[in-house]
Each structure stands twice: as C-alpha cells, then as structure tokens.
Amino acid sequence: MKSNQYKSPFDENLSPRQRTQTAIDRSALSLKIATYVICHTLVECQELLAADERLSTAHAFLQRATSTHLCNHKLTTEGLVYEFRGQPFELHEEFKTMTLTRSVYEHLAMFFFLFEHPHNDEEREIVWKYWQLNSKKSQLDFSPAGDAEERKGEIEEMRALRKAILQSRIGRECAQKLDEWTAIETPASTGALECFRRGGRYDVRRVSYSLAWRYLFHNDEMALLYSHLSMHCHPVFSGLVQYQNQATADEGDDAIPLYFSACFLAYLCRLFLRLVPGGDAIVSNEFSADDLRLFAALSHIK
C-alpha cells in the first residue's frame, strides 16, 4: 500500500473510508498552509497591505476562499445530522458541499484574471477597472431606490471608471466592445475580462466562470466541472434526479467536492504568494519539502 502522502481520493482500489480520509488529509494541508500565509501576511506585511489596495484585495480573496473552504472541511468531516422524534437522524448527501466548492472555484478564477493572467500593467489596469465597474453595477441593482444621493455617488464612480477605460490605449483599440460593455445601462456581467492581441492590435473578450478552466488547468477533463458544480447548486432537474439516485451510503465520493476545493485553494494561495515580496520563503521556511511538493501538486489537481 502506498503511503498516505501518495494516495489519491480517486483511487477505487482504496476503501471508501480511505478515499474520504485522503481527501480530508489533502484539505487539512491546504488549510494549514493557507491560514499560515494569511496570518503571516497580516502580521509581517501590515504596512504593505495598507499602502497597496490591490494586494489588500488579493489578501481578501485568499481569506474568503480559505474561510469558505474551512466550512466545506467542517461540513464534510462532521456530516449532516437531523433530529427525528428526538433522535439524531444522520443524512447522507454526497453533494452537500458543492455550493462551497463552486464559490472557491469562482474566487480562484477571478483572482487569476485580475492578478495572474494580464501580461503587463496596461492590461492589468483595464481588467481591474472593468471588474470594479461590474461590481458597482451589481451593487447598484440592490441599492434602495430611495437613497438618491448614494446612488448618484455610485453612478459617478462608475462613469469615472468607464471614462478611464475608454480613454486608455486598449479602450481606444477596443472601443466598440468596451463602449457597449461598460455603459451604465448595460447589465453587469459575471466572469472576467481578457485582453489579447490580434493582428498587432488589442482585442478583448469576456470569459465566463464556466470557461475559466481552460486558462486555469489546460485539461479537457475539467470541461464539465463548473456545470456539475452548478447543477448541484441550483434547482436543476437533472441535478435533483442525481440527488435522489445517489448511493444511500458513502462510497468514497462524498469528499470529492472537498478535494477539488482544497486544490482550488492551494492554487489561489500559490498565486497570492507571487504577489508578496519573498513569498516563496514564507512557506519554505515553515513547511517541509514533502508538504510543499504535495501542496504544489494539489494546485495542479493531481
């Protein structure tokens, strides 16, 4: 038998309990390293976080993904227990953490397009402002209509962001698309913006969360991942049919959503460390080489 370090939660030669425990162990490692990075940054990089809005926002991404994954970990390890006629009634649900896993994936995808994917500062600035603009549009949809002054201030901020985008070189070269997409009356879009070159000029496209896997993993086997996560997060017929037909006992698949969440968190954490001066040393001085190799493998979903 391989040591636990090299077991895979997908290995059907393992017992269901071993498969589940392997995913839990991977999750614990991702949590241990991510929480250490969060705390180390808060203690040792206070001035840097205060002075750099983007780094502070990146740190918030990592914190939220970590807390979401921690909920996933606790829900997986502790399970779901109802009460029926005064007695505990354990509920088996293979898909119980899908919503949490989907959230960590979306945080990873947006983090990647904001901080990792842009090739230069010019692209990074456009993507950053476009993300801010869409975030403000979404927030405006939920603002009370009666608070006219607040809404006016939000709209002015959106107009300033739109103007900065359209007056940039990329904005001028992609005027038709960006003029439409950044218009205040255009509904907010989900997903991210990508800048790329075509024929010596810039072009832009919107990348949905369902297609982000192509950029993150370069693995066709991930093609159905987001739709599978969404199917068990929304009241979709096929998802509810699968829910009703799931096995009545744990066959080792209950912790697979947790495993994917651990992989997404590891990936996001490694991307965050690239933004912090001396980021690699933060973990290399604290964790063993074996832990760091496994952590790196998790970020590539292995």
Side-chain angles (χ1 to χ4, degrees), residues 114-239:
L114 286 174
F115 299 103
E116 177 70 15
H117 189 59
H119 296 91
N120 52 53
D121 289 341
E122 188 177 22
E123 293 182 16
R124 193 169 292 108
E125 191 69 19
I126 294 296
V127 173
W128 177 260
K129 283 183 167 57
Y130 181 81
W131 174 64
Q132 287 184 311
L133 177 57
N134 268 293
S135 298
K136 290 182 180 296
K137 282 186 181 182
S138 298
Q139 183 179 342
L140 194 66
D141 290 341
F142 296 98
S143 297
D147 195 345
E149 285 302 315
E150 182 176 345
R151 291 177 66 85
K152 181 180 178 181
E154 288 290 330
I155 290 173
E156 288 303 315
E157 289 179 11
M158 287 191 288
R159 285 174 175 162
L161 288 167
R162 169 176 157 82
K163 181 178 179 180
I165 291 171
L166 295 178
Q167 288 184 346
S168 67
R169 179 165 69 102
I170 295 176
R172 293 193 301 271
E173 293 187 7
C174 309
Q176 184 174 353
K177 290 181 180 179
L178 289 175
D179 181 56
E180 177 187 350
W181 296 347
T182 63
I184 307 301
E185 62 274 13
T186 301
S189 63
T190 59
L193 183 74
E194 180 190 18
C195 303
F196 62 97
R197 288 188 173 278
R198 189 199 302 272
R201 290 174 59 85
Y202 266 110
D203 199 352
V204 290
R205 58 178 155 236
R206 292 181 288 193
V207 182
S208 66
Y209 290 119
S210 62
L211 295 179
W213 63 270
R214 294 179 178 175
Y215 299 82
L216 293 166
F217 306 111
H218 307 287
N219 182 345
D220 289 344
E221 293 181 3
M222 301 295 289
L224 298 178
L225 172 68
Y226 189 75
S227 61
H228 184 66
L229 292 174
S230 297
M231 183 171 62
H232 292 289
C233 296
H234 301 297
V236 178
F237 174 75
S238 54

Side-chain angles (χ1 to χ4, degrees), residues 65-102:
T66 302
S67 62
T68 302
H69 179 74
L70 179 58
C71 294
N72 194 328
H73 187 92
K74 289 179 68 66
L75 186 54
T76 301
T77 55
E78 297 175 14
L80 294 169
V81 180
Y82 286 174
E83 184 176 300
F84 181 65
R85 295 174 180 171
Q87 299 295 321
F89 189 93
E90 186 173 353
L91 175 70
H92 174 259
E93 188 195 334
E94 181 180 323
F95 311 109
K96 59 185 175 290
T97 62
M98 287 291 198
T99 301
L100 298 167
T101 299
R102 180 171 177 260

